Amino acid sequence: METISRSAPEKKPARRFKITSIEVLCAILLIAILGQSWLQQVFDVPALRTGSTVFVAVCVQALPFLVLGVLISGAIAAFVPARVLEKVLPRRAGAAVGVAGLAGVALPGCECASVPVARRLMGQGVAPAAALTFLLAAPAVNPVVLVATAVAFPGNPEMVFARFAGSLATAMVMGWLWAKWGKLDWIAERALRRLPEVRHGSRWKTFAETARGDLVEAGGFLVLGAMIAATMNVLVPAKWFGVLGEQIVLGVLVMAVLAVVLALCSEADAFVAASLTAMPLLPKLVFLVVGPAIDVKLFALQTGTFGKSFALRFAPVTFVVALSCAVISGVLILGGGA
């Protein structure tokens, strides 16, 4: 009897289960629900109760604006081709900077999303000065951020106008400075390559992935910012902020550095600033203008996207310009913000 040899079926490699931030979040929520009574006993301390109240208040107030912002950001990435902005921008770099700054009002997104958008604009042939102006304007002067600021400061509507003026001035001044003195060889060659357009059939997938990624990343910064705000309210004596308020120059510098270090999302930072009740308005305004312009996460993103040579030049100048524009708009609109 003739035997027929058959090769054994090839085994497919076992699919590894990848743990993402969503699974971690669900696990934390499940543990919190199951251990609710134990957690209540552990956190039944006046200081912890105060901190948890501040934490929840910041998150609950900021979350709707964060969700709206990432949905709009996802829609822009999927349905608004970069060539649309290329067509409406003037060819002259100086005029293009002004149009790009105002385009940030109509095309919102968080600062994390604005970096790849700026890279896409450069890849489509948009002048770097205009792309960098849009990078700074979009996360700072869009309607979502301005409405969030109005909600966070209900008794001080002038904060909205001061933030708008300071942030728009920062974006446009940086754009004009780059148009005059910037050099293309400071930007990594990979950032100037033409990027492929999103295919028609994959737009909804791009929308979902972009919105989900931005929400997870920005949501993490929101939680971190809320935790820091709660910790500062509990551990830092109120008289310390009072001292900073009395020494306005020191308060402005401290809040500017704090904005760089905390690296909050622009759609949530107003609620963190508003929670520091002992601080005057001017240092809070500096915090809101400097943060979306330059912080540690933006420096890392710019280094990875545009290159180290670019980031080491662009970040320090942006910090100085943002600080100056915030102080000038604060003095003119807030009257010093005392």
Side-chain angles (χ1 to χ4, degrees):
M1 186 175 180
E2 191 176 352
T3 58
I4 300 174
S5 61
R6 293 183 180 177
S7 58
E10 195 176 319
K11 289 185 178 180
K12 292 183 179 179
R15 216 175 185 185
R16 293 182 180 179
F17 178 72
K18 186 179 178 181
I19 299 177
T20 66
S21 53
I22 298 296
E23 283 77 21
V24 174
L25 178 61
C26 292
I28 293 174
L29 291 175
L30 182 61
I31 294 171
I33 293 171
L34 295 177
Q36 184 177 5
S37 58
W38 177 77
L39 289 173
Q40 285 177 345
Q41 294 176 0
V42 171
F43 287 96
D44 192 17
V45 178
L48 290 177
R49 282 202 303 268
T50 302
S52 61
T53 300
V54 173
F55 173 79
V56 172
V58 171
C59 288
V60 169
Q61 281 185 308
L63 193 58
F65 298 100
L66 185 62
V67 172
L68 179 58
V70 299
L71 289 177
I72 295 174
S73 176
I76 291 171
F79 303 109
V80 181
R83 62 176 179 271
V84 172
L85 275 180
E86 183 186 2
K87 290 179 180 178
V88 301
L89 289 175
R91 293 191 177 275
R92 196 163 59 88
V97 165
V99 176
L102 294 176
V105 179
L107 298 175
C110 70
E111 52 266 54
C112 301
S114 66
V115 173
V117 171
R119 179 191 174 187
R120 176 175 286 272
L121 291 174
M122 290 184 188
Q124 291 288 351
V126 174
L132 294 175
T133 302
F134 181 81
L135 180 150
L136 295 174
V141 299
N142 67 71
V144 177
V145 169
L146 297 179
V147 172
T149 305
V151 173
F153 294 91
N156 303 104
E158 65 274 15
M159 279 291 287
V160 180
F161 299 102
R163 180 175 193 176
F164 176 84
S167 297
L168 184 60
T170 299
M172 296 179 71
V173 168
M174 286 303 300
W176 285 323
L177 288 176
W178 178 270
K180 188 169 181 59
W181 288 293
K183 296 180 180 178
L184 275 182
D185 55 8
W186 292 345
I187 300 178
E189 187 271 337
R190 65 180 180 276
L192 301 174
R193 291 178 193 156
R194 182 170 293 275
L195 300 175
E197 289 285 352
V198 177
R199 294 194 305 271
H200 183 75
S202 62
R203 286 182 177 178
W204 284 107
K205 182 180 179 182
T206 301
F207 168 76
E209 290 179 352
T210 302
R212 177 183 175 277
D214 286 352
L215 180 61
V216 171
E217 185 172 3
F221 289 114
L222 168 61
V223 171
L224 177 62
M227 290 178 63
I228 294 173
T231 303
M232 291 176 66
N233 272 274
V234 172
L235 299 182
V236 180
K239 61 182 181 182
W240 287 17
F241 290 108
V243 172
L244 291 177
E246 294 170 1
Q247 301 182 20
I248 197 69
V249 175
L250 180 60
V252 163
L253 293 176
V254 169
M255 291 298 283
V257 173
L258 200 62
V260 175
V261 174
L262 292 187
L264 299 179
C265 177
S266 61
E267 288 140 7
D269 58 0
F271 300 96
V272 175
S275 69
L276 305 175
T277 53
M279 290 293 292
L281 290 180
L282 182 57
K284 292 180 181 179
L285 175 64
V286 170
F287 181 84
L288 298 179
V289 173
V290 172
I294 182 61
D295 57 35
V296 289
K297 75 174 186 299
L298 271 175
F299 179 78
L301 285 169
Q302 290 172 4
T303 301
T305 303
F306 302 114
K308 188 177 178 181
S309 296
F310 169 84
L312 288 176
R313 292 173 171 85
F314 192 74
V317 179
T318 303
F319 178 82
V320 174
V321 170
L323 178 59
S324 303
C325 291
V327 171
I328 293 172
S329 64
V331 171
L332 294 177
I333 299 176
L334 303 178

